[in-house]
Amino acid sequence: SRHWEQISKETRIRMAFDASFTLEALLDFGLADHGEIVERVTKLAKSEHDLESSLNRMFDNARQCSLTFIDNPLRECMMLAPIKDIQDMLDDSLVTCRLMLRSNYIEPFRLRTTEWLLKVTYLQDVLYNWMSCESRWLELKPIFASTGVNSIERYLPQACRWYNVVDANFGRIIERVQLNSNLLAIAGSEKILASLIECNATLDRIYASLPEFLEARRKEWPRFYFLSNLDILSITSLASH
């Protein structure tokens, strides 16, 4: 009724939005004499409707999307299933939101669009940090999570403690998201991104602690110069088994 109220105000035609609100009544009141006003407001209403429809469509698409998990038998753990479709959807939403905010007709939906833009950006940050954390967590898992007499723990006790912290925290994140993996639920939880960023910062510290140890191993065993860092770590972790 907002646009009808605008027409009523500009044409000075009193409109009762009840059973008497009919086209015949409007014509009797002389609405046809205000064609320019009606056409302008109609164009405004159409443009605003298109923007609102786009906003609702983005929201509905996200509501129908959830993160899924698959078993990683090699690492004996759960990992995120491919997310390319979700990433593409979020990328499209980001572009659409930015274009909408540049529209001359966005004002009635500016707040909703801005809020949704922030949620889309948040979700992109979550997925980026999740994939970064998961790939490195899986990469280090067989080395730092091995059982028995572990020479890695003797050489790199602090790195092992850091990895155990990441292992526990990332496991809790996975468990929490599995309870409600819908994108809208994730977008409403600020703790998920903060926890992922903390996990990645700890993983950064682990990787930063490795070069000195790896160089010492290469000097001790020159053939190690032909191996990757992870190969050396893996061999070292198995050396005393």
Side-chain angles (χ1 to χ4, degrees):
S1 64
R2 174 166 51 88
H3 298 101
W4 280 113
E5 290 173 355
Q6 183 176 346
I7 290 175
S8 176
K9 180 179 179 180
E10 293 191 25
T11 60
R12 297 183 181 180
I13 296 175
R14 293 189 60 186
M15 299 180 184
F17 301 106
D18 52 28
S20 65
F21 186 68
T22 63
L23 177 60
E24 182 179 1
L26 292 174
L27 292 175
D28 289 342
F29 285 135
L31 185 63
D33 297 332
H34 303 279
E36 183 178 341
I37 294 175
V38 173
E39 182 178 359
R40 174 167 47 79
V41 176
T42 299
K43 179 181 178 181
L44 172 66
K46 171 65 167 57
S47 298
E48 290 181 355
H49 173 74
D50 290 344
L51 290 173
E52 187 175 25
S53 296
S54 294
L55 187 58
N56 291 337
R57 185 162 52 250
M58 288 188 290
F59 189 85
D60 289 339
N61 287 341
R63 184 168 52 192
Q64 296 170 18
C65 286
S66 297
L67 297 182
T68 56
F69 296 85
I70 56 177
D71 183 51
N72 184 326
L74 185 63
R75 297 292 188 259
E76 298 180 346
C77 63
M78 300 298 293
M79 60 180 291
L80 200 61
I83 57 172
K84 185 179 184 307
D85 289 345
I86 293 177
Q87 289 175 315
D88 289 344
M89 184 268 290
L90 292 175
D91 287 342
D92 290 343
S93 293
L94 189 67
V95 172
T96 301
C97 284
R98 287 172 174 170
L99 289 174
M100 287 174 59
L101 288 171
R102 294 167 57 184
S103 170
N104 294 329
Y105 307 101
I106 192 59
E107 203 54 43
F109 318 108
R110 182 178 298 280
L111 179 59
R112 281 186 61 198
T113 304
T114 301
E115 289 176 345
W116 182 240
L117 177 61
L118 292 175
K119 289 183 182 296
V120 169
T121 303
Y122 177 84
L123 287 169
Q124 288 185 317
D125 289 343
V126 165
L127 294 180
Y128 173 81
N129 279 276
W130 189 301
M131 297 307 295
S132 175
C133 179
E134 182 181 85
S135 63
R136 297 190 294 172
W137 171 69
L138 290 173
E139 191 174 56
L140 295 174
K141 188 175 182 64
I143 299 166
F144 286 100
S146 59
T147 58
V149 180
N150 193 332
S151 59
I152 285 293
E153 188 172 1
R154 290 204 304 272
Y155 283 111
L156 299 168
Q158 183 60 62
C160 287
R161 285 193 290 271
W162 285 334
Y163 182 83
N164 290 336
V165 170
V166 172
D167 190 52
N169 290 342
F170 191 51
R172 283 193 288 269
I173 294 171
I174 293 175
E175 291 175 357
R176 177 177 181 178
V177 172
Q178 283 182 312
L179 293 175
N180 190 349
S181 61
N182 183 264
L183 290 189
L184 295 184
I186 296 171
S189 176
E190 296 181 1
K191 293 183 179 180
I192 293 177
L193 179 57
S195 297
L196 287 169
I197 291 175
E198 183 177 349
C199 284
N200 276 316
T202 304
L203 286 166
D204 288 340
R205 289 196 289 271
I206 294 174
Y207 277 92
S209 70
L210 299 180
E212 184 176 351
F213 168 77
L214 293 169
E215 185 61 25
R217 300 285 73 73
R218 287 189 171 102
K219 289 180 178 179
E220 183 178 355
W221 300 95
R223 290 186 179 183
F224 280 2
Y225 281 102
F226 300 98
L227 299 178
S228 69
N229 290 346
L230 288 175
D231 286 338
I232 297 174
L233 287 170
S234 182
I235 292 171
T236 305
S237 69
L238 296 172
S240 57
H241 283 200

